[in-house]
Structures are given as C-alpha cells and as structure tokens.
C-alpha cells in the first residue's frame, strides 16, 4: 500500500471509529462515549410493584375488577390519555371522588408528550429488591441476596468513578429504611464500593420528628477556629490508627461537601418545622414527601445524577383502592418534580428524567377485598414482569412511543445504561457486568429493532 | 418452716411415709431436732450485704488490638456514656439507629449527633482551665475515656503541642475529635 493511500485509509477508519457508536465484543451498541446529552439526570424508580394494566395500560378497573367496565388514565401528568369517567376513588375528599387536577404545565402536555414512552418492557424479577437492583446495577440480580449490598457496581459508582463526579454530585433519595433500601447506594464490588457511593437520605426518616429530636439542634462551630483544629486532631488520630492497620473507607465527601450537607440538613429541619418544604400541591402520601425532599436535593445540590425511589403502590397487596390512590399521587409527585426542575434556571433544558417501575403485579387477584369489594394483587407471575419506561429531556424524542403491548422493546437493566449514556460514560462500563442484551434506551429510541 | 433444702419437716410426705417401726423413732426425732437447729442457725445468720459495682475495664495496650468495627448501636451507646457519664435508654438507641440508617454518609451522621450532644447541658466536660492547668493528665484521661488506652510518649507530646499551638481548642473540640476518629469506631 502506498503511503498516501495508507494515510487516507487510516484517517477514514479513525473518523469512522470516532463518529460511529462503539461495537463491543458482545455485539452491543452504545452511543458515543464522552458526549453528554444532559448535565443532570433524574431516575425515578416508580416502584412498589406497578401493574401494567392500571398504569400504562390505562385500564383502571376494567381489567382488574369483575363487573367494573371502567377504563381510564389515572396518571395524566405522565401519560397521555383520558381519565376514567366513573367509579373514581383515587382523588381527594371523602371517598376520593375528586381527582387531583393535572399540574399546570402538564395540561394537554403530559410527560409522554414531552418525551419517549417504552410501552412494554421486560423486568427480570418480580420482587422489589431484585427489581431495584436490576435498575441500579443493570443486571438480572438473580444471585443478589436480600439484606446484601448490590453485588455488582451501581450506576452511582460508575458515574463517580468513570465520570469523575464528587460525592454530592450523586444522590439517592430513598422511600424509607425498610427492605434493605439503605444498602443500595453502593455495592460490595472490590473495584468500586463505598468510595464511589452516592449520598443517601431516607428523608421520611432523616427529617421526621423523632430524628429531629436527636439531629435537629446541631451546634454551630467556627469553621477556622474550631472545625479546622478539630479535623486536624482527628486526622492525627486517624493517621496513628492507620499505622496499626486500622482504616475506614467512607463516601468521600470533602470537608466542604460535609458542611454543605449539614447546612442542608439544618435547612430541611427548619423547612419541616415552618411548613415550607417544596411539596407537591397534594401531599397526603409518603411518596409526596419523598418527592418533596428530592426536589429540595435537586435544587440545592444540582447533582449530576439523582435517583428517587417511590413505593406507595405496594399497598396493593391488601387494598386495591389505596393502590390506585397511591398511583395517582405518585404521578402527581413525579409531575411536581419535573415542574421544579423546569422552574430552576440551572436545571431547565439541561436535565433528563427517566421513570421506570422495578416490577409489575399479577394477572389474577388474591382473595383480599377492600372497602369497595375490589380484589388486591400480589406480584409473582409473568404479568408482574411487565413494565414500561418513560423518559424526557435534551436529545430525547418528544411524543414518541417505542414498542407496543404485543411487541416489547427494552428491559429493566436498560435504565442504568441509559443514565450512563446520557452522562457520557456508557463506554466505560464493563460489559461483563451487565445483563445480556442490555442497551441504552437512547439507542433503542431510534433503533427499536 | 422449711429446711435449707426446702423440705418442711412437719408436712413433708417424705417424712410421713417413713415406716413407723420402733428403731426409726429415735432417728426421726434426732433428724427433726437437727433440722430445727439448722433452721434456727440459718435464720439467725447475718444477711450478706449485696455489693454492686462496675466491672473494671481493661485498657488496651495498643490500638493494634482493636480489629472489630462497632455497630451503630454500640457507637451511640458508648458515645453517650462517654459524654454524659450515664447510660442511654434502649429506646433512644433504637431511634438513633433508625436515624443513622437513613443517612448515607455515616461520618456526617456521627458529626451531627456529636454536635447535637454538645448542645445538651448534661455533657460532662472538664473546663478549659482544668485542661490547661494539668494538660498531661487531661490528655491521658481523654485517651483512657475514649480510646481505652494510655497514649504513648509521641502521641502525648503531639497532642500537647497541638493544644498549646491552637488557642481556640477547648476540651469540647478535643472530645469531638476523639469521638469522631476511626480508632473510636473500633473495639
């Protein structure tokens, strides 16, 4: 080969490699590494076991209860569709007969209209913890034990390690401290772990009255005269202990970040006391409070990535009416979070959102009836592996639907890779740590296959 | 009246079922007298005074001996005792453990808790005058209180120089550092 043609061929190959998506040994395609499509990503784990039929299926009572032919969309902030016309129990007031109105910015402009809906996706696990782990780790979580930290690295660790983000750039806002939720902010993987973990609050516990009794009256120390020597002396003691082999890994918040978090905590205690928390207009549920605190985290820290976990719909094990109420409120809460983001000049137009349930619910009800004589649903069969996902933000197609009820596209592990893709680090994630066929939803959006 | 082994000599079936043959009568009478004397002696015995005291805590000879991390509940209980010189209730430990589990960075949870404790009037602290009046004793006692060991010479000298060179350092700041250091999180 002549020198000129060699250079020409090499240049063309190099250009192709830069422009084209990576083709990994596994044959998977990822979007170009290194280019971010948004500065901030919010992942809403719309969790607790959301039955496909009542959520994205918009069937309300029609598929769930005998002799109740009343379909309709009870998530009209997130999804496009007409609400039920009769048998409304999910609203406010006595009997829940007054539906919560759509939030102003979602009237005739649902999140679905603003973004892309994956109408039918596949979950790997019909359990909550397995499902949450699949979302955060991008794996099937088959060997993931309960009461155990994630086996493989979480999205938090990938972002911090490969994206170079600080600890307060990555947040996990949990719905509570039960169900091993506090274990999800970092894995036990030897190459990642706590030093790349996310900051975590379960705000309904951290900022409740009980915790405020112990943690809400912090003494303010002078940063230079008091805190500085305090940390110096601690550093000396830690160094001495390290000489004997003693050390303790930590999340890696810098001193400045720690002070910032402590200031935030004091601010939250004040806001709770004054009733000025940034709550959704209707805030009569635990999920509403979780989202309220998540909104505060988002606007205060402006993190690169925040995950928030909802769980109110899990009441469906024993009360179907409360389940539809919780779903209606979760939709309202997600709408509020997106409005908060759009009203913050530093976040608006620069933030993407992904919503995904961790698992669905059974096709057939159990024997428990509620006050309306409606049957409750557990989650263990094939129907409970039916999920969906909704995303919006820069670079995401608007008013776009991918797949259909008969033709699923995507799986639960895709959410993790999508976050990584949006933040430009997808190519850094070891493919052997992902579930088979895991893809970025950004890729599937344009290439549903 | 019961005998020391709990048998009433007058009502015991054991006694009443004894065969009533003549050569047993003397033995029964002797045993009865013996039991009565024994009972009398026991009832006249001076009652022992109960003495309750804390077990002495053995000091570590070196930090190297600490290789187990305290649980949150252990840390909270020991911290409370060290600062308030009294025991925390199990209910408070439970509630604080819940609060700790709701915070990802345990270092921050501990800092916030300690600073809240120091806002409480019940904390038992030496005064700055006491610290400066006998700094060597203060340093040794602080090591013993928090780390359950005596500082070596290098440690004592370093801490002493540190306090002397930082005029705003109070016993509270020193205690804060010790309560937050990694060695304190181990046993």
């Amino acid at each position: 080969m002549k020198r000129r043609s060699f250079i020409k061929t090499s240049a063309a190959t190099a250009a192709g490699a830069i422009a084209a998506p990576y083709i990994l040994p596994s044959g998977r395609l990822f979007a170009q590494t290194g280019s971010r499509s948004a500065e901030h990503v919010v992942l809403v784990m719309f969790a607790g076991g959301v039955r496909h039929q009542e959520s994205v299926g918009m069937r309300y009572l029609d598929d769930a209860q005998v002799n109740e032919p009343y379909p309709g969309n009870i998530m009209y902030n997130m999804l496009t569709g007409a609400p039920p016309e009769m048998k409304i129990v999910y609203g406010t007031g006595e009997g829940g007969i007054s539906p919560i109105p759509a939030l102003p910015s979602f009237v005739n402009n649902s999140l679905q209209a603003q973004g892309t809906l994956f109408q039918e996706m596949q979950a790997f696990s019909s359990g909550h913890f397995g499902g949450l782990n699949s979302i955060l780790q991008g794996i099937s979580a088959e060997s993931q034990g309960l009461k155990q930290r994630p086996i493989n690295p979480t999205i938090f660790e990938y972002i911090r390690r490969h994206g170079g983000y600080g600890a307060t750039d990555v947040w996990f806002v949990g719905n509570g401290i039960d169900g091993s939720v506090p274990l999800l902010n970092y894995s036990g993987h030897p190459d990642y772990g706590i030093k790349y973990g996310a900051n975590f609050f379960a705000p309904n516990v951290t900022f409740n009255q009980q915790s405020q009794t112990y943690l809400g009256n912090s003494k303010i120390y002078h940063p230079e005269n008091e805190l500085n020597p305090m940390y110096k002396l601690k550093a000396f003691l830690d160094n001495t202990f390290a000489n004997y082999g003693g050390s303790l890994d930590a999340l890696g918040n810098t001193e400045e970040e720690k002070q910032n978090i402590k200031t935030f905590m004091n601010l939250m205690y004040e806001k709770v006391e004054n009733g000025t928390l940034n709550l959704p207009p209707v805030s009569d549920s635990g999920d509403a409070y979780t989202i309220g605190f998540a909104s505060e985290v988002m606007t205060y820290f402006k993190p690169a990535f925040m995950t928030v976990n909802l769980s109110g719909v899990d009441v469906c094990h024993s009360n179907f009416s409360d389940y539809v109420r919780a779903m209606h409120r979760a939709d309202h809460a997600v709408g509020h979070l997106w409005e908060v983001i759009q009203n913050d000049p530093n976040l608006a137009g620069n933030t993407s959102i992904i919503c995904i349930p961790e698992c669905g619910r059974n096709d057939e009800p159990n024997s428990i009836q509620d006050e309306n004589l409606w049957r409750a649903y557990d989650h263990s069969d094939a129907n409970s592996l039916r999920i969906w996902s909704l995303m919006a933000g820069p670079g995401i197609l608007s008013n776009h639907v991918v797949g259909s009820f008969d033709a699923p596209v995507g799986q639960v592990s895709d959410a993790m890779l999508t976050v990584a893709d949006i933040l430009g680090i997808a190519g850094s994630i070891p493919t052997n740590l992902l579930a088979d066929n895991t893809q970025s939803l950004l890729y599937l959006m344009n290439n549903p296959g | 009246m019961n005998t020391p082994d709990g048998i009433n000599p007058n009502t015991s079936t054991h006694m009443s079922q004894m065969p009533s043959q003549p050569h047993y009568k003397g033995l029964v009478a002797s045993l009865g007298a013996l039991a009565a004397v024994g009972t009398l002696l026991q009832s006249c015995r001076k009652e022992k005074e109960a003495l309750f005291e804390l077990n002495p805590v053995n000091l570590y000879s070196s930090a190297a001996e600490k290789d187990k991390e305290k649980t949150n509940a252990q840390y909270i209980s020991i911290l409370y005792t060290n600062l308030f010189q009294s025991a925390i209730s199990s209910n408070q430990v439970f509630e604080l453990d819940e609060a700790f589990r709701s915070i990802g960075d345990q270092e921050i949870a501990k800092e916030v808790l300690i600073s809240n404790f120091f806002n409480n009037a019940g904390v038992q602290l030496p005064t700055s005058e006491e610290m400066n009046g006998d700094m060597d004793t203060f340093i040794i006692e602080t090591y013993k209180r928090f780390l359950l060991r005596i500082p070596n010479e290098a440690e004592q000298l370093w801490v002493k120089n540190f306090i002397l060179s930082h005029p705003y350092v109070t016993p509270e700041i020193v205690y804060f550092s010790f309560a937050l250091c990694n060695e304190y999180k181990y046993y």
Side-chain angles (χ1 to χ4, degrees):
Chain A
M1 186 182 286
K2 287 182 180 174
R3 185 173 176 270
R4 181 171 292 177
S5 59
F6 172 76
I7 291 170
K8 207 172 171 181
T9 311
S10 304
T13 307
I18 292 165
Y22 281 108
I23 302 172
L24 296 171
S26 61
R28 296 177 195 129
L29 287 167
F30 296 135
Q32 178 62 55
T33 299
S35 59
R36 283 180 293 191
S37 58
E39 295 289 323
H40 314 274
V41 185
V42 175
L43 173 63
V44 179
M45 297 198 287
F46 203 83
V50 176
R51 198 160 173 265
H52 201 275
Q53 285 87 334
E54 289 81 48
S55 53
V56 73
M58 301 184 200
R59 305 299 300 156
Y60 189 41
L61 303 175
D62 201 14
D63 283 349
Q65 306 300 333
V66 178
N67 297 326
E68 300 280 17
Y70 306 108
N73 174 22
I74 62 171
M75 295 171 52
Y76 37 73
N77 291 291
M78 295 172 69
L79 302 170
T80 305
E85 292 177 354
M86 291 182 69
K87 288 269 185 174
I88 292 162
V89 301
Y90 49 79
T92 55
E94 196 174 347
I97 57 170
S98 304
I100 304 170
L103 291 164
S105 60
F106 293 94
V107 175
N108 298 322
N109 187 31
S110 70
L111 196 58
Q112 179 184 338
Q114 298 174 43
T116 295
L117 172 68
F118 287 77
Q119 204 167 45
E120 181 92 30
M121 292 173 69
Q122 193 71 19
F124 295 135
S125 166
S126 58
H128 302 302
F129 196 58
L132 296 177
N133 271 289
S134 290
I135 292 175
L136 294 175
Q137 297 178 58
I139 61 162
S140 64
E142 280 166 354
S143 52
Q144 176 68 50
L146 295 169
K147 297 186 178 179
Q148 180 190 28
R149 283 212 177 266
I151 294 171
N152 283 341
T154 58
I155 181 61
F156 311 117
E157 294 152 84
Y158 287 133
I159 289 173
R160 285 194 61 195
R161 180 171 170 182
H162 301 298
Y165 290 100
T168 49
D169 284 326
V170 180
W171 279 90
F172 173 32
V173 179
N175 59 312
I177 56 172
D178 294 330
S180 300
V181 166
L183 300 181
L184 290 169
N185 65 328
Y186 62 88
S187 74
H189 195 282
D191 296 336
Y192 292 83
I194 187 171
K195 57 183 180 289
Y196 299 113
N199 272 297
F200 168 74
F201 281 134
N204 291 340
V205 176
T206 316
F207 303 111
N208 68 13
Q209 204 170 8
Q210 180 181 294
S211 297
Q212 182 160 13
T213 310
Y214 301 107
L215 306 178
N217 188 28
S218 294
K219 196 166 182 177
I220 307 297
Y221 292 98
H222 192 282
E224 282 174 21
N225 295 342
E226 294 178 311
L227 280 181
N228 198 19
M230 192 270 283
Y231 287 131
K232 265 190 196 169
L233 179 52
K234 174 185 157 23
F236 166 75
L237 296 169
D238 287 347
N239 285 337
T240 308
F241 191 50
N243 288 337
Y244 293 105
S247 65
L248 208 56
D249 281 334
L251 273 183
N253 283 303
T254 63
E255 298 307 337
E256 191 183 346
E257 285 178 315
K258 281 182 190 170
Q259 295 313 312
N260 211 11
I261 292 171
K262 286 191 274 186
T263 305
F264 175 78
M265 289 176 73
N266 287 333
L267 183 66
M268 289 305 101
Y269 286 126
E270 271 178 39
K271 286 195 168 197
V272 169
E273 207 159 293
N274 301 337
T276 53
L277 202 63
N278 195 352
L279 292 167
V282 175
S283 56
D284 57 356
S285 72
D287 282 346
Y289 270 82
T290 303
I291 285 286
F293 284 108
S295 302
E296 297 283 1
V297 166
M298 203 63 205
T299 51
Y300 186 90
F301 293 101
K302 299 184 172 42
F305 177 58
M306 180 186 74
T307 291
V308 55
N309 180 32
L310 307 180
S311 66
V313 296
D314 199 27
V315 71
C316 193
H317 284 290
S318 58
N319 192 310
F320 188 86
S321 300
D322 283 348
Y323 158 71
V324 289
R325 284 177 196 129
M327 196 185 300
H328 190 56
R329 279 153 181 75
D331 165 77
H332 177 71
V334 170
H336 175 72
L337 177 61
W338 191 236
E339 278 197 342
V340 167
I341 289 166
Q342 300 314 308
N343 290 330
D344 185 312
N346 294 306
L347 300 174
N350 205 7
T351 304
S352 291
I353 188 169
I354 303 168
C355 307
I356 188 167
E358 88 288 29
C359 67
R361 282 192 178 265
N362 288 353
D363 200 26
E364 295 295 324
N366 62 30
S367 59
I368 302 173
Q369 290 182 313
D370 63 21
E371 67 271 25
N372 293 308
L373 302 180
W374 293 342
R375 291 285 180 85
Y377 285 83
D378 301 317
H379 42 95
S380 57
D381 69 4
N383 196 68
S384 61
L385 299 180
R386 295 180 66 199
I387 57 165
W388 46 272
S389 182
L390 178 59
M391 60 181 188
I396 295 170
L397 298 175
S398 58
N399 210 15
H400 186 60
V401 178
V402 179
S404 65
F405 298 140
D406 298 327
V409 174
Q411 57 190 32
V412 66
S413 57
D414 295 344
M416 190 283 286
L417 198 58
T418 309
V419 174
D421 199 1
I422 291 171
L423 292 175
I425 59 151
S428 305
I429 293 175
T431 50
N432 63 325
L433 296 180
L434 296 174
D436 287 345
N437 302 316
T438 298
Q439 302 268 17
S440 165
L441 295 177
L442 292 186
Y443 173 76
L444 290 175
M445 175 177 73
N446 295 309
N447 306 278
Chain B
M1 190 173 284
N2 290 340
T3 57
D5 61 2
I7 297 169
N8 186 325
N10 300 319
T11 60
S12 166
T13 54
H14 175 74
M15 297 297 281
S16 62
Q17 283 167 2
M18 284 285 214
S20 58
Q21 290 175 14
H23 67 279
Y24 284 112
K25 281 185 183 170
L27 181 61
V28 170
S30 302
L31 280 172
L34 195 63
V37 170
T39 307
L40 192 67
L41 281 173
Q42 194 193 36
S43 41
C44 293
R45 191 183 298 159
K46 192 180 175 187
E47 197 171 298
K48 276 188 180 174
E49 277 182 33
L51 181 64
F52 297 98
E53 57 186 6
L54 293 171
N55 288 328
V57 176
N58 293 325
L59 295 180
Y60 292 94
S61 58
S62 154
E65 293 172 41
K66 301 172 186 175
D67 56 1
K68 291 188 233 22
E69 194 179 341
K70 291 172 187 167
T71 62
N72 280 342
Q74 288 170 330
Y75 178 88
I76 291 161
S77 304
I78 294 167
L79 174 69
Y80 189 94
T81 307
N82 285 159
L83 295 183
F84 293 93
Q85 300 292 297
S86 64
I88 190 171
S89 75
S90 56
N91 192 43
Q92 287 174 304
V93 173
F94 175 79
E95 291 175 352
L96 269 167
D97 185 43
E98 285 201 331
F100 267 48
R101 285 166 56 204
S102 76
I103 299 171
D105 191 332
Q106 292 296 290
E107 189 91 355
I108 289 175
K110 290 181 172 83
E111 277 189 41
V112 172
L113 177 64
I114 296 166
S115 73
N116 271 263
F117 277 165
F118 277 126
N119 241 353
N120 190 313
V123 175
Q124 305 288 307
L125 272 172
T127 62
S128 291
E129 289 72 30
E130 286 168 338
M131 176 180 80
N132 294 323
D134 188 354
M135 200 168 289
D136 286 327
T137 302
F138 169 77
I139 294 168
I140 291 169
E141 289 305 316
T142 303
Y143 265 86
K144 282 164 67 178
R145 180 187 280 216
F146 287 92
L147 304 184
L148 296 174
R149 66 180 178 86
I150 310 283
N152 61 35
E153 273 186 43
E155 287 172 324
Q156 178 142 0
L157 186 63
W158 193 95
V159 176
K160 187 173 184 177
N161 287 337
F162 176 82
I163 296 173
L164 288 171
S165 60
H166 290 80
Y168 293 104
V169 167
T170 59
E172 181 176 326
I173 297 297
V174 175
Y175 276 23
F176 205 131
S177 305
F178 274 75
L180 205 55
C181 76
N182 285 342
E183 187 179 341
Y184 188 62
K185 295 165 193 162
Y186 278 79
Y187 69 98

